[in-house]
Amino acid sequence: MQDDQHPTSAIPERQIRATYDESTIRVYQAYPDAITDAALTNGTFTSPPFKMERMTWIKPSFLWMMYRAGWGFKDAGQQRILAIDISRAGFEWALEHGCLSHADASMSKDEWSAKKEASPVRIQWDPERDLLLRPQAHRAIQIGLSKRAVELYVHQWITRVVDVTPLAHAIHALLAQGKIEEAKHFRKKNRIRQYFIHPER
């Protein structure tokens, strides 16, 4: 296994790194209180307040989620950070049915447009972040779920929902005090470590 403490130069540009076991993989999302509280009560997202008709983005990278949500302080719509364990089978289904958010050299623009229209999943690679939320050379995957993929995510894939907002705030507070090593130790102690799970795609 390769953990996220390895030198960044040794990490391929596109590689999925996640906390996982034999049957589940952990992803992160950030939501307002209403959606979060309902999800914690029911063990999955419920509509309302969760909107099934909208694309929802899941992120295996804890630090990319922290960058996106500003450690839970960016705005009211992202003030609660959820760690969501989903089935490995569901995660693999999403990858198999995904289309890149932007066309690349592997196909023509028309081919990409047709695939995008037919796919319920978007795949996007964004610069990974370090503990200080600085962009890295390698990238973190985001997976956008819509249509059938959202239904499967909510009703079949999710096995556990945990509120990790207090953990995010605790790490942020240490960083704000300049206690970088303590923040690293606190993160490790709380098992926020990510490992290689899937070859480059």
Side-chain angles (χ1 to χ4, degrees):
M1 284 187 174
Q2 176 181 344
D3 67 28
D4 61 355
Q5 305 305 310
H6 281 210
T8 56
S9 61
I11 301 176
E13 180 186 11
R14 292 185 177 183
Q15 182 189 67
I16 298 172
R17 292 168 303 279
T19 300
Y20 70 96
D21 58 28
E22 290 184 358
S23 59
T24 65
I25 176 171
R26 177 160 287 192
V27 297
Y28 297 92
Q29 294 192 278
Y31 283 109
D33 286 336
I35 292 176
T36 297
D37 290 338
L40 292 170
T41 298
N42 295 284
T44 190
F45 294 103
T46 56
S47 179
F50 182 80
K51 295 183 179 179
M52 298 290 292
E53 67 275 11
R54 293 183 60 180
M55 180 170 284
T56 188
W57 289 86
I58 58 175
K59 308 160 185 71
S61 170
F62 176 76
L63 289 177
W64 205 94
M65 184 73 263
M66 295 306 100
Y67 164 72
R68 182 69 179 84
W71 299 98
F73 296 109
K74 187 174 182 179
D75 58 64
Q78 301 182 84
Q79 65 187 6
R80 301 279 291 283
I81 313 295
L82 292 176
I84 303 154
D85 293 337
I86 67 173
S87 70
R88 288 279 297 274
F91 187 80
E92 292 289 341
W93 186 97
L95 294 180
E96 291 167 3
H97 291 80
C99 174
L100 289 173
S101 293
H102 306 284
D104 64 11
S106 67
M107 63 181 71
S108 71
K109 192 169 183 179
D110 287 343
E111 288 174 327
W112 171 76
S113 294
K115 184 174 182 181
K116 184 179 72 169
E117 287 301 315
S119 173
V121 179
R122 298 286 180 274
I123 304 295
Q124 186 166 311
W125 294 92
D126 296 289
E128 179 63 285
R129 301 287 159 161
D130 66 8
L131 197 57
L132 297 178
L133 306 187
R134 297 171 299 196
Q136 304 297 291
H138 55 287
R139 292 178 174 261
I141 194 171
Q142 289 192 77
I143 302 172
L145 308 175
S146 67
K147 303 174 183 176
R148 184 185 176 202
V150 175
E151 295 282 346
L152 292 171
Y153 176 59
V154 169
H155 298 303
Q156 296 185 27
W157 300 350
I158 294 176
T159 64
R160 186 177 183 225
V161 180
V162 180
D163 187 350
V164 294
T165 312
L167 174 61
H169 288 180
I171 295 173
H172 176 265
L174 290 171
L175 294 172
Q177 297 171 54
K179 298 178 179 179
I180 309 298
E181 292 305 316
E182 289 185 36
K184 289 180 181 178
H185 177 72
F186 189 80
R187 182 177 171 224
K188 288 181 184 179
K189 184 177 70 173
N190 285 275
R191 298 181 180 180
I192 303 298
R193 303 190 67 182
Q194 296 177 306
Y195 301 91
F196 164 81
I197 185 175
H198 201 282
E200 184 176 340
R201 296 178 63 89

